[in-house]
Amino acid sequence: MSLSALRRLALKGALACALAASLSFTAHAQENVLRVSAIPDEAPTELQRKFAPLGKYLEAQTGMKVVFVPVTDYAAVVEALATKKIDLAWLGGFTFVQAKIRTNGTAIPIVQREEDAKFTSKFITADPAIKSLNDLKGKTFAFGAPSSTSGSLMPRYFLLQAGINPEKDFKNVAFSGAHDATVAFVAAGKADAGVLNASVWEKLVEAKKVDTDKVRVFATTPPYFDYNWTVRGDLDPALVKKLTDAFLKLDPKNPEQAEIMQLQRASKFIPTKKENYESIEKAAQAAGLLK
Amino acid sequence: MAARPHDPAARSRLIGTLTALVVLWPLFQAAEVRPGALFDPANLKVIGNFLGGFLPPETGREFLGYLGTATLETLAIATAGMALAFCLAVPLGYLASGAARERPTLNPLTRGLLTILRGIPELVWALVFVRVFGLGPAAGVLALGLTYGGMLAKVYAEILESVDPAPAQALRRSGAGRPLAILYGLLPQASKELASYTVYRWECAIRASVVMGFVGAGGLGQLMDQAMKMLNGGEAASILLTFMMLVLAADALSGLLRKGLDTPPAPRATPFGWRSALLALALPLAILASFRGLNIDFTALFSTDAARSIGEFLGGFFPPDLSAEWLRKVGKGLWETLAISIVGTLLAAVAGLLLALPRPHAPFGVLLNALRSVPELVWATITALAVGLGPFAGALALALHTTGVLGRLYAEALDNTPPTPARALKLAGAPAGLPFLYGTLPAALPQLIAYTLYRWEMNIRMAAILGFVGAGGLGQLLYFELSLFHYAQASTVIAAMLLLSIAVDQASAWLRRRLG
């Protein structure tokens, strides 16, 4: 290649990026699309599989196109809700508190599963020597994502109450990122013990995805409020009402809707309100996760 | 008196080694080096199970679909990121370079900016941008654009300074402005090197865009992260194979392009051949397709609403948390990161040397290439299974990848060392080993040390981010604090990373001068 050709090439390259940049300006967010996301508390492929029928149902109920936006990071969901990149999100109790703070209190929780009003976390291990929380001192321990309610915040809060400080008393702390990954960590011996939410644990046990002879539950937390569906505060109130009603009228007797509820692991959806999550906010402050 | 052949420098070398060991001991402690854990039967079984799951690689239709999309996304991120980096590097390089200036003053402001852009690992930029853009590849493109923009600008500036300044000076004295003097006086001499480096960087960008997927910036890395977290061996194997093929293809393409630059232009009336035309067509198309394919919403950067949210976001980083308690914690992370980088590099230097020694190189060459083509973050997920989570896993991961890189460089350096001194010693009857120690090593040593120190500079940046997958150090702190929106604390960690990488650059340059 000749020298002057190179120079031209460089200029053309610069021109091309300018052109490409200006073209992408035209790619505006479409109207009449409901963008939904969920904290990635399980493998993202699993989340998409779980969401597909619910998405179709919401499309029918609202008359809007429903798009699921997969995410690998809890905080990204909160940030996306705050910057209005998504309209509706499946949040954990603590991520809801974070979203509430980041949106200056405007994010509205609309519904939760009946199970979420009395949620628990399970401490699991594959080490026969670990029989209680006190045996965890000096071991490696896996939380889920740092901002998970049932995989990090509430277990941490209850550990602190039991006199165990994760930063000082554990040999190493890992964040697996998701509840099913925590089980994989513990089953493989990557961590001596771990904690995850009761609902995912039961699902994995039912599906025989975990060898219960090897990995066992050795402690359970007291109950607390967890997951909900949250909308951003400036969404059209009529649409918010439609969405709320759509969830509330899901009926397990209807086979199609029963499938949705089974995938969401819900026996029933019930209305929820911000006040339900005040105790989580207090726990987060006590555990030093909220400053 | 019968002269027994003995090593005349044995004592000083022994003392040197012992001193080094004493100095390095605390570092090995901080990296929690426990070689025993490697051979623990329980751990071996865990690893065996995981690696056993690699066969057969996953070939489900749905998964292959994801894999295809992710591969295209990775390519597009690298290409779009490079385009952005290029647009950034040209003006910055122009400002930073002392070339074709009347007085060779270096622009400290631009140089400082470049140091910051380069000093913060692209993974950290990506992590930050994932928060601003939320989801997907836009974060990766911007992160690549900024870091690589910084790197390109610095190298462009230096290349322009390194060529013969006479033509540019002549142009300036006859009244040409600086841009014209550079364009006609310096660029013709430097263009080949500039283009060659840019192409090489694009190749690196592909590797980097894979790594950035680990923090949610899309592409193959994101898929790999999920497979690794779920310990899904079959998927991991497929992704790894795809990744290796991608890197090989990029290697080949970049080699081809660089070879094209080395061939002198054909003696024709017009310097354009069909190859130049094809390239001039393909390049803008590739860039355009990348940006379109990624569907990046740049309005997110420029709307007033977004400007405010980015402003608030960045504002949250100031002032950094400088409380004594937090600084102590960051200090501990800093020490651990330093230890991981040094231990990892040293282990790699030893292993690399051992693998570079035997001749012929061929069987070991394959091993070295395999070690090299697996990214450190992937090694880290495997070593964490082998020795448990913690800094030792990080050091081992660095060591495995770096062994591949250094082994190859060492082998080349040793091959290029004149063989005569070693042969002379051998013929004079020196016992086995000594011809190498006294004939070959002294001549090759400066080169070996330079390569090692250069890798150490890269490894310190990598060590800082290995924490994202549980290898301790600054990375884990940063991941945790960013997840919880503790920006003041995160800001201290990023500053610490920056300081550490600058300090290591300086230390390495100083050592190279002393030892080289």
Side-chain angles (χ1 to χ4, degrees), chain A residues 73-264:
Chain A
D73 186 76
Y74 278 54
V77 183
V78 173
E79 207 67 68
L81 202 64
T83 50
K84 299 174 191 171
K85 290 196 183 71
I86 53 176
D87 307 307
L88 172 70
W90 168 248
L91 296 180
F94 181 42
T95 23
F96 166 71
V97 171
Q98 289 179 323
K100 195 188 83 183
I101 294 170
R102 307 237 13 117
T103 59
N104 300 319
T106 60
I108 313 165
I110 52 173
V111 293
Q112 65 184 15
R113 301 173 302 191
E114 199 169 31
E115 291 82 348
D116 293 321
K118 267 195 251 149
F119 212 74
T120 55
S121 305
K122 304 278 185 194
F123 288 87
I124 57 167
T125 184
D127 181 349
I130 297 177
K131 295 197 176 63
S132 73
L133 293 183
N134 273 325
D135 299 330
L136 288 175
K137 291 189 177 170
K139 304 286 185 184
T140 54
F141 189 83
F143 288 107
S147 38
S148 164
T149 313
S150 50
S152 168
L153 166 63
M154 294 318 276
R156 181 182 290 263
Y157 176 68
F158 292 121
L159 279 170
L160 284 168
Q161 284 196 332
I164 298 169
N165 181 340
E167 260 69 55
K168 294 204 177 80
D169 294 329
F170 291 148
K171 192 172 110 208
N172 260 315
V173 169
F175 294 96
S176 75
H179 297 291
D180 39 10
T182 304
V183 177
F185 273 38
V186 172
K190 198 169 167 182
D192 296 321
V195 65
L196 78 156
N197 91 32
S199 169
V200 174
W201 170 255
E202 280 151 21
K203 185 172 98 179
L204 293 172
V205 172
E206 275 167 32
K208 305 226 180 327
K209 289 209 174 138
V210 52
D211 177 4
T212 40
D213 292 337
K214 209 171 129 204
V215 183
R216 64 196 160 80
V217 174
F218 67 96
T220 304
T221 62
Y224 51 86
F225 271 99
D226 205 342
Y227 296 88
N228 64 41
W229 282 99
T230 294
V231 292
R232 59 184 170 90
D234 49 358
L235 212 60
D236 176 16
L239 177 59
V240 174
K241 173 116 190 6
K242 259 191 213 164
L243 286 169
T244 315
D245 291 345
F247 277 109
L248 292 180
K249 73 181 183 205
L250 275 170
D251 181 4
K253 290 196 192 81
N254 175 328
E256 261 176 45
Q257 298 182 5
E259 190 207 348
I260 296 175
M261 300 181 77
Q262 206 245 326
L263 282 174
Q264 299 292 320

Side-chain angles (χ1 to χ4, degrees), chain A residues 17 69 73 79 173 176 188 289, chain B residues 46 87 131 135 229 476 486:
Chain A
C17 8
V69 187
D73 186 76
E79 207 67 68
V173 169
S176 75
L289 297 192
Chain B
V46 168
C87 295
R131 295 298 136 73
L135 338 155
K229 264 187 190 148
Q476 188 158 1
H486 295 165

Side-chain angles (χ1 to χ4, degrees), chain A residues 85, chain B residues 128-136 138-139 142 296-298 300-301:
Chain A
K85 290 196 183 71
Chain B
V128 169
F129 284 128
V130 160
R131 295 298 136 73
V132 180
F133 282 93
L135 338 155
L142 277 177
I296 297 171
D297 184 12
F298 274 102
L301 259 186

Side-chain angles (χ1 to χ4, degrees), chain B residues 266-328:
Chain B
R268 275 192 301 249
T270 155
F272 290 106
W274 60 269
R275 262 180 305 217
S276 324
L278 199 69
L279 198 64
L281 196 71
L283 193 65
L285 274 183
I287 293 171
L288 198 69
S290 298
F291 275 98
R292 296 288 280 189
L294 293 174
N295 200 6
I296 297 171
D297 184 12
F298 274 102
T299 44
L301 259 186
F302 298 107
S303 72
T304 49
D305 218 25
R308 208 189 53 235
S309 88
I310 294 176
E312 268 171 27
F313 174 78
L314 290 179
F317 280 92
F318 293 99
D321 181 354
L322 296 177
S323 66
E325 191 196 353
W326 183 242
L327 283 182
R328 230 189 340 269

